[in-house]
Amino acid sequence: MQVELRVQRFDPSENDEAWWGEYVAEVEDNGRVLDALHYVKWFVDGTLGLRRSCAHGICGSDAMVINGRNRLACKVLCRDLKQPIKVEPIQGLKVEKDLIVDMDPFFAGIAAVKPWLINDSPAPAHERLQSPAERAKYDDATKCIQCAACTTACPIFWTDEEYVGPAAIVNASRFIYDSRDEGSRERLEILGSKGGAFRCRTTFNCTDACPRGIKVTERIQEVKRSILFRKM
Ligand code: SF4
Ligand code: F3S
Ligand code: FES
């Protein structure tokens, strides 16, 4: 099938202004937006810049704004969208070229909440055991692929550069509620301070944007409660 695309283009080495590239791509009937962008890059204009890797919704590298919504280009079928399909870079991060944005501030927000297991107790003879009920407490957060669809859909993140963003809070919650972890107090301290979870105004854009179906706002509210009721 033929697909009409309007893609936001920007190359700071050529022009200070962004512009709209209009293209017609050939894709299979079940072709995804990523396939249409590949067609443009490979057969129409090789200068188009975009990130992608797995092409199967796992790596999180191709989040973009598709017909006004944050989506993964590899997870959206062209036939389900109104044409011309409008494709723009995710918002709130500096555009480096076309659909490629500077992800450093996003990953800095995640790194700030220490998203790794902290446990300084002597290691047991075998593994650190965990019951199915304990594992279930943080299951939702394990699905995150750090695609930034949530954070770049958040109006607070767009305007407040101190806010770590919803993805960082989800990644913190992955460890805060892990029974094997001993770093919760430290993470809650970070998330209870300026730029932390209370910057969230519960607008739910993040939950709507998440391609993994994570209940992002619920995770944030859970963390807010833990901050308020933690033992100092
Ligand atoms: Fe992407 Fe969802 Fe993780 Fe946010 S919570 S980074 S939208 S997978
Ligand atoms: Fe932003 Fe999500 Fe909160 S969109 S304001 S982090 S509910
Ligand atoms: Fe990996 Fe889309 S290319 S998630």
Side-chain angles (χ1 to χ4, degrees):
M1 64 184 260
Q2 285 200 329
V3 177
E4 284 178 53
L5 293 165
R6 282 194 92 216
V7 182
Q8 184 177 308
R9 305 292 309 266
F10 175 63
D11 182 350
S13 68
E14 301 247 317
N15 194 328
D16 290 342
E17 299 290 321
W19 53 282
W20 289 101
E22 299 191 351
Y23 311 98
V24 177
E26 285 284 345
V27 299
E28 303 285 336
D29 285 349
N30 59 355
R32 304 152 306 167
V33 172
L34 181 62
D35 299 311
L37 292 170
H38 277 161
Y39 184 94
V40 173
K41 184 165 179 68
W42 294 338
F43 303 113
V44 183
D45 183 349
T47 67
L48 175 65
L50 70 146
R51 282 201 185 97
R52 84 281 181 267
S53 181
C54 71
H56 288 91
I58 302 298
C59 73
S61 58
D62 64 339
M64 41 191 90
V65 185
I66 299 172
N67 280 1
R69 278 188 58 196
N70 280 15
R71 320 278 297 259
L72 295 179
C74 65
K75 295 264 287 180
V76 192
L77 298 182
C78 295
R79 69 178 182 217
D80 292 338
L81 297 173
K82 189 166 161 260
Q83 293 194 34
I85 299 169
K86 196 167 150 196
V87 186
E88 302 161 90
I90 45 180
Q91 290 178 267
L93 294 167
K94 184 170 163 278
V95 180
E96 294 190 327
K97 185 176 187 303
D98 301 331
L99 301 171
I100 299 171
V101 298
D102 177 8
M103 296 288 282
D104 284 355
F106 170 74
F107 286 120
I110 291 183
V113 301
K114 303 178 186 261
W116 52 79
L117 193 83
I118 297 172
N119 189 325
D120 295 328
S121 300
H126 300 291
E127 70 268 36
R128 296 183 200 274
L129 291 175
Q130 187 166 67
S131 72
E134 286 168 333
R135 172 65 178 71
K137 285 188 181 161
Y138 61 91
D139 186 64
D140 197 28
T142 65
K143 298 176 204 152
C144 179
I145 55 173
Q146 301 188 356
C147 69
C150 56
T151 296
T152 61
C154 172
I156 308 299
F157 183 77
W158 296 337
T159 55
D160 181 349
E161 61 185 26
E162 283 189 73
Y163 182 35
V164 292
I169 303 171
V170 167
N171 280 269
S173 81
R174 153 69 186 82
F175 292 97
I176 288 169
Y177 303 106
D178 187 328
S179 59
R180 301 163 298 181
D181 186 84
E182 296 175 347
S184 299
R185 177 190 286 258
E186 205 178 335
R187 291 192 200 89
L188 293 175
E189 191 72 34
I190 295 165
L191 288 172
S193 61
K194 209 170 166 219
F198 288 97
R199 284 280 193 245
C200 165
R201 292 289 178 268
T202 333
T203 58
F204 279 88
N205 289 20
C206 51
T207 301
D208 292 343
C210 181
R212 304 284 294 166
I214 297 171
K215 298 183 185 77
V216 182
T217 312
E218 203 172 302
R219 299 284 70 77
I220 297 170
Q221 296 302 94
E222 190 176 36
V223 167
K224 285 180 187 170
R225 281 194 297 276
S226 295
I227 293 167
L228 290 174
F229 297 115
R230 74 189 189 277
K231 294 186 183 71
M232 305 297 276

